[in-house]
Amino acid sequence: EKSLTAQILHTYETRLFPSADSIEVKRTFIEKFATILVTEFPGWEVDIHVFGSSVNGLGTSRSDVDICLTTEHRELEDIFLLNKVLRKHNMRTYCIPRARVPIVKIWDPELRIASDINVNNTIALHNTRMLQTFVAVDGRVRPFVLAIKHWTKCRDINDAAFGGTLSSYTWVNLAIHFLQTRDPPILPVLHPRAHSLNAEKCMALGEVDLSFNDNIGELREFGRANLESLGFLLYAFFRTYAYEFDYRTQVVSLRNGCYLTKAQKGWDTGRPSRIFCIEEPFSTWLNLGHSANTIAVEGIRREFQRA
Ligand code: CTP
Ligand code: MG
């Protein structure tokens, strides 16, 4: 346990904690991107919001830059417009127009950095702030979650879009939920007990209850009574999803800080893709595990067992 804890901290400090250089490259990229927007859309009011791991405390030197543009110029929501403009400025791009959140994926060959851009999809800004809050509550969160992200990337099980496995965001949800369900818990439940709007209604209206407790001053040291080490936690995380979690009936719910059942959510019938169920904490009708099919989930489970 001691040796594993030391290894996690060593990897965290030497390889995962973002380098000053990588932070500078991200800053330069954002400036360059802002200049392109001003040049190509003079006079348009377009705000750039950086979200995801560049700002939630869970990024590494190799993380991409996630950007949300907000603007009243709705024509920008057609991501092919952005695509055309970016190509003019020598960016390599790839559009995913039919995703739930349409994005342009960018690779900047000059700065050697990747970025995902969406337009007017602000919900991710709120879940970014939620993750920032969890990171601030206990000093173990950052190295623990980064160790898990690192493992998933090494084992090729961190690619929802092209690999049919799970996104970083989904893995982070699993890791945070695991820390909420320790005894005593390391992380609190931040969301109000009941959704103030009924989930089906939310989905129909496209509305989401965005409230959660972000009072870091009050939450800091919440996990003080739990003395588990990083090494033990990592071991217990692998064991939980290798042997203890019931994939057939359980749903991971970070919003509630516990497991729900598929029957409770009405996820026990219909689409077979509901094999690994991880509830999105704000848009609770979404299963973050939907990107992985039965075979992928079997593979992921074998990875937990191997680990
Ligand atoms: N996101 C989301 N719903 C998803 C996937 C992603 O809302 N199903 C949002 C989240 O705000 C997340 C951000 O998009 O923080 C970026 O997602 P992702 O790149 O998967 O996570 P990162 O934490 O940025 O991980 P990485 O360092 O691997 O880029
Ligand atoms: Mg990212």
Side-chain angles (χ1 to χ4, degrees):
E1 181 182 340
K2 271 194 187 144
S3 151
L4 185 53
T5 302
Q7 282 181 58
I8 294 169
L9 284 173
H10 179 75
T11 307
Y12 172 66
E13 280 155 16
T14 57
R15 294 173 60 189
L16 303 180
F17 197 83
S19 67
D21 280 357
S22 73
I23 294 169
E24 183 55 26
V25 168
K26 289 193 172 113
R27 210 186 47 78
T28 311
F29 173 79
I30 294 160
E31 269 174 18
K32 181 175 168 181
F33 181 69
T35 309
I36 294 176
L37 290 182
V38 171
T39 314
E40 295 294 330
F41 305 108
W44 287 27
E45 222 170 274
V46 182
D47 290 321
I48 299 179
H49 310 267
V50 181
F51 68 99
S53 65
S54 318
V55 289
N56 66 18
L58 300 172
T60 65
S61 297
R62 293 164 62 188
S63 291
D64 63 358
V65 185
D66 298 292
I67 292 178
C68 165
L69 300 180
T70 53
T71 178
E72 306 220 315
H73 287 270
R74 301 287 302 262
E75 51 269 54
L76 251 185
E77 288 175 15
D78 173 5
I79 55 168
F80 288 105
L81 175 57
L82 204 55
N83 181 56
K84 199 173 83 191
V85 157
L86 289 163
R87 286 195 174 193
K88 240 170 85 183
H89 290 264
N90 301 323
M91 301 282 188
R92 295 197 198 138
T93 62
Y94 183 87
C95 291
I96 309 186
R98 271 175 294 278
R100 185 170 51 82
V101 178
I103 57 170
V104 190
K105 289 182 107 47
I106 305 181
W107 170 252
D108 180 342
E110 183 202 7
L111 294 171
R112 306 194 57 73
I113 189 164
S115 179
D116 284 355
I117 318 279
N118 78 61
V119 182
N120 288 340
N121 187 278
T122 50
I123 176 114
L125 307 180
H126 299 279
N127 62 38
T128 294
R129 203 161 49 78
M130 173 194 76
L131 294 180
Q132 260 167 354
T133 308
F134 281 122
V135 170
V137 171
D138 191 282
R140 286 166 287 190
V141 178
R142 200 171 180 194
F144 177 72
V145 177
L146 281 178
I148 290 171
K149 275 177 72 177
H150 178 62
W151 167 73
T152 61
K153 289 184 186 186
C154 290
R155 300 305 302 168
D156 232 336
I157 48 175
N158 180 318
D159 188 355
F162 300 109
T165 54
L166 304 175
S167 68
S168 283
Y169 179 64
T170 306
W171 284 111
V172 172
N173 267 265
L174 268 189
I176 298 281
H177 173 268
F178 174 78
L179 297 177
Q180 288 177 317
T181 51
R182 302 310 295 159
D183 183 17
I186 293 177
L187 288 176
V189 172
L190 299 182
H191 291 82
R193 272 295 159 196
H195 221 297
S196 65
L197 296 158
N198 158 294
E200 264 72 47
K201 238 191 230 162
C202 283
M203 183 166 73
L205 297 168
E207 275 180 24
V208 175
D209 174 6
L210 294 169
S211 60
F212 68 91
N213 181 1
D214 60 355
N215 186 341
I216 293 167
E218 169 196 306
L219 297 166
R220 215 183 288 278
E221 305 300 326
F222 171 91
R224 175 167 63 220
N226 180 306
L227 301 176
E228 289 169 317
S229 69
L230 285 172
F232 182 76
L233 289 168
L234 190 64
Y235 157 75
F237 178 74
F238 290 145
R239 189 188 56 195
T240 299
Y241 285 100
Y243 301 112
E244 292 166 6
F245 178 71
D246 184 353
Y247 289 75
R248 280 177 312 118
T249 60
Q250 289 185 300
V251 177
V252 173
S253 173
L254 179 151
R255 184 181 184 90
N256 294 284
C258 63
Y259 296 108
L260 303 175
T261 64
K262 290 188 185 179
Q264 271 174 311
K265 294 216 36 103
W267 285 1
D268 53 341
T269 54
R271 298 222 317 268
S273 57
R274 285 183 178 167
I275 176 91
F276 193 0
C277 289
I278 304 140
E279 179 191 66
E280 209 291 323
F282 293 93
S283 310
T284 53
W285 60 90
L286 294 177
N287 174 19
L288 291 172
H290 79 104
S291 52
N293 65 17
T294 312
I295 294 169
V297 173
E298 256 319 301
I300 289 169
R301 196 165 177 188
R302 273 199 300 276
E303 284 299 333
F304 280 118
Q305 292 168 351
R306 174 189 168 280

